[in-house]
Amino acid sequence: MERRNFIKGALMATGGLFLGGSAIHRLMDDKEDVNSSLPSTIEKIHQGAGKNVLILMSAGTRKGNTDRLTDAYIKGVVERGHTVTKVYLGSMRVEGCRGCGACQRQGHGCVVQDGMQDIYPLFEKCDVVVMASPLYFWTITARLKAFIERLYAISVEDKYPVKGTVLLMTSGDDRADTFKQPLQYFQVISDVLGKQPLGYYCAGGCTGCEDIGRYIDERHLDRVYKMGLELL
Ligand SMILES: Cc1cc2nc3c(=O)[nH]c(=O)nc-3n(C[C@H](O)[C@H](O)[C@H](O)COP(=O)(O)O)c2cc1C
């Protein structure tokens, strides 16, 4: 796959200061207490006075390109004063929808007992859902798609909770149409969740797992951090 620097058409923010994403984990004083009741795949990052932001990081690798992009965005969102919870969706067992229809017939939510049972209450409470994914075969990860399918269980007469949406993606390719399919799908999902997208950031030209080390251009991290600062 072709490697170049980054995709210009999908950028939502411009230049500035680079701030490493991992520092956000130290912004919340009482983090240890709050997180002791959560599974290791869910991290309460910050309690703020702003919106409740739920981050779904669907790459399977922590500290990979997508995780780093996500953490840079989170740093901006935290500095903006929002409440942030990060879910390592790619490290969780989350099935796709089985289509059994029990949720619609019985109205008790999803009968499948997996990681989604921890995510449903977080999703219900959030104002904004941030979906982060590496580009896999020209679309989002199977795990993120599985999460989206499972929202069926909380729909009522085909209506879904209203949420703001943000998409963050990384890829190896860096062409004008690299993210065409996931961006189209993101628009559809944002419509389903009742709002226009709040923003997206697509970081092309990343080096992937086939190479010795993963690499994401720091300009992406800088720009996505600024985008996080702008979340209203
Ligand atoms: C299974 C798989 C499929 C991929 N498919 C694509 C693709 O269709 N287009 C692309 O540009 N990069 C593709 N990539 C590369 C990743 O999107 C890229 O390396 C990404 O930055 C990895 O993110 P991570 O470090 O968070 O895992 C693929 C990688 C894997 C492992």
Side-chain angles (χ1 to χ4, degrees):
M1 288 170 183
E2 188 186 0
R3 303 280 188 266
R4 269 185 256 145
N5 275 343
F6 56 90
I7 183 164
K8 296 186 182 68
L11 298 179
M12 295 294 291
T14 53
L17 177 70
F18 163 65
L19 288 162
S22 59
I24 48 126
H25 297 295
R26 285 177 283 281
L27 287 180
M28 193 172 143
D29 293 335
D30 59 351
K31 175 175 165 289
E32 293 300 325
D33 292 336
V34 173
N35 283 321
S36 61
S37 61
L38 295 172
S40 61
T41 49
I42 299 178
E43 194 171 9
K44 185 73 183 274
I45 302 275
H46 184 68
Q47 181 71 45
K51 290 202 170 123
N52 186 335
V53 181
L54 178 65
I55 313 269
L56 302 172
M57 204 292 290
S58 74
T61 305
R62 296 191 187 198
K63 305 299 169 206
N65 299 330
T66 312
D67 197 24
R68 290 187 66 202
L69 189 77
T70 303
D71 279 353
Y73 180 73
I74 290 174
K75 183 160 180 58
V77 171
V78 165
E79 287 180 18
R80 184 79 194 198
H82 299 299
T83 292
V84 177
T85 305
K86 182 179 180 186
V87 175
Y88 291 90
L89 187 65
S91 305
M92 295 174 80
R93 191 175 67 82
V94 173
E95 287 185 28
C97 177
R98 293 180 183 174
C100 65
C103 56
Q104 301 302 314
R105 285 195 307 278
Q106 298 163 4
H108 297 142
C110 188
V111 295
V112 180
Q113 295 299 310
D114 63 7
M116 271 307 284
Q117 299 302 338
D118 291 320
I119 299 174
Y120 281 128
L122 299 173
F123 181 75
E124 300 241 19
K125 275 189 291 184
C126 82
D127 305 301
V128 176
V129 59
V130 178
M131 293 172 275
S133 176
L135 188 72
Y136 276 7
F137 290 88
W138 301 276
T139 189
I140 57 173
T141 57
R143 205 65 53 87
L144 184 54
K145 177 64 161 46
F147 160 80
I148 292 167
E149 290 176 17
R150 296 284 292 285
L151 294 181
Y152 183 58
I154 56 169
S155 67
V156 178
E157 293 173 0
D158 229 14
K159 296 274 186 305
Y160 289 78
V162 174
K163 307 288 176 189
T165 53
V166 174
L167 180 70
L168 308 176
M169 292 197 73
T170 67
S171 75
D173 285 351
D174 189 18
R175 292 193 294 261
D177 61 352
T178 294
F179 296 99
K180 186 176 169 201
Q181 292 189 74
L183 286 175
Q184 281 176 348
Y185 185 58
F186 175 56
Q187 180 66 56
V188 171
I189 296 306
S190 300
D191 291 345
V192 165
L193 296 177
K195 287 193 170 183
Q196 281 303 302
L198 292 173
Y200 62 87
Y201 191 98
C202 298
C206 300
T207 303
C209 53
E210 72 278 15
D211 291 299
I212 293 169
R214 284 163 208 260
Y215 171 77
I216 180 168
D217 192 313
E218 292 196 350
R219 285 173 293 182
H220 288 311
L221 306 180
D222 177 29
R223 292 180 183 117
V224 85
Y225 159 70
K226 293 257 175 63
M227 187 177 143
L229 279 177
E230 288 166 13
L231 183 69
L232 296 175

